[in-house]
Amino acid sequence: QVQLVESGGGLVQAGGSLSLSCVLSGRPFDDYGMGWFRQAPGKEREFVAAITWFGDRTYYADSVKGRCTISRENAKNSVYLHVNSLKPEDTAVYYCSAVHVIAGLWTEASSYDHWGQGTQVTVSS
């Protein structure tokens, strides 16, 4: 019943910025910690960022730390990912994910219960 829908992907020039959004429906949003993952062709899904239930803690992959911000607005059932200084290697399908009770690590895809359909981000040089 939980649905996650991402938006905001597209074609961006290297050095630019992009903001992604994800809306959760079907259950109370503050029941879920939220994460962003990405997957490039031929590669495994990799962690990008995560945020706890009320936004008091955040986690970032080394590849994006310092140029990425994850945030949430519980009143809008939404989580956001803003990335600046985009690089061609940021090109991937970006997925929003949700976890109700985490039994593993925030950085592991297997920890999450629900996934969105993904949104394509392409960074051109």
Side-chain angles (χ1 to χ4, degrees):
Q1 190 162 323
V2 171
Q3 301 286 328
L4 297 171
V5 180
E6 303 97 333
S7 62
L11 177 63
V12 185
Q13 190 174 20
S17 299
L18 192 68
S19 292
L20 305 179
S21 299
C22 173
V23 179
L24 181 149
S25 62
R27 288 289 185 272
F29 184 62
D30 61 4
D31 281 357
Y32 297 95
M34 304 297 295
W36 286 96
F37 289 74
R38 66 187 183 187
Q39 189 165 22
K43 294 190 175 183
E44 294 184 351
R45 189 166 298 188
E46 67 173 353
F47 171 74
V48 178
I51 188 166
T52 55
W53 289 261
F54 294 96
D56 53 304
R57 291 188 293 277
T58 57
Y59 306 87
Y60 296 97
D62 289 343
S63 58
V64 300
K65 194 170 186 177
R67 59 189 186 95
C68 179
T69 301
I70 186 171
S71 61
R72 66 190 294 162
E73 293 185 63
N74 286 3
K76 295 184 177 181
N77 294 353
S78 297
V79 63
Y80 309 98
L81 183 73
H82 179 79
V83 187
N84 57 44
S85 301
L86 283 160
K87 307 172 183 179
E89 52 263 44
D90 292 321
T91 296
V93 177
Y94 283 69
Y95 295 92
C96 176
S97 58
V99 55
H100 180 43
V101 178
I102 193 163
L105 300 176
W106 289 100
T107 56
E108 294 290 332
S110 60
S111 296
Y112 294 81
D113 302 312
H114 307 284
W115 295 85
Q117 82 288 353
T119 184
Q120 176 71 48
V121 174
T122 302
V123 183
S124 62
S125 60

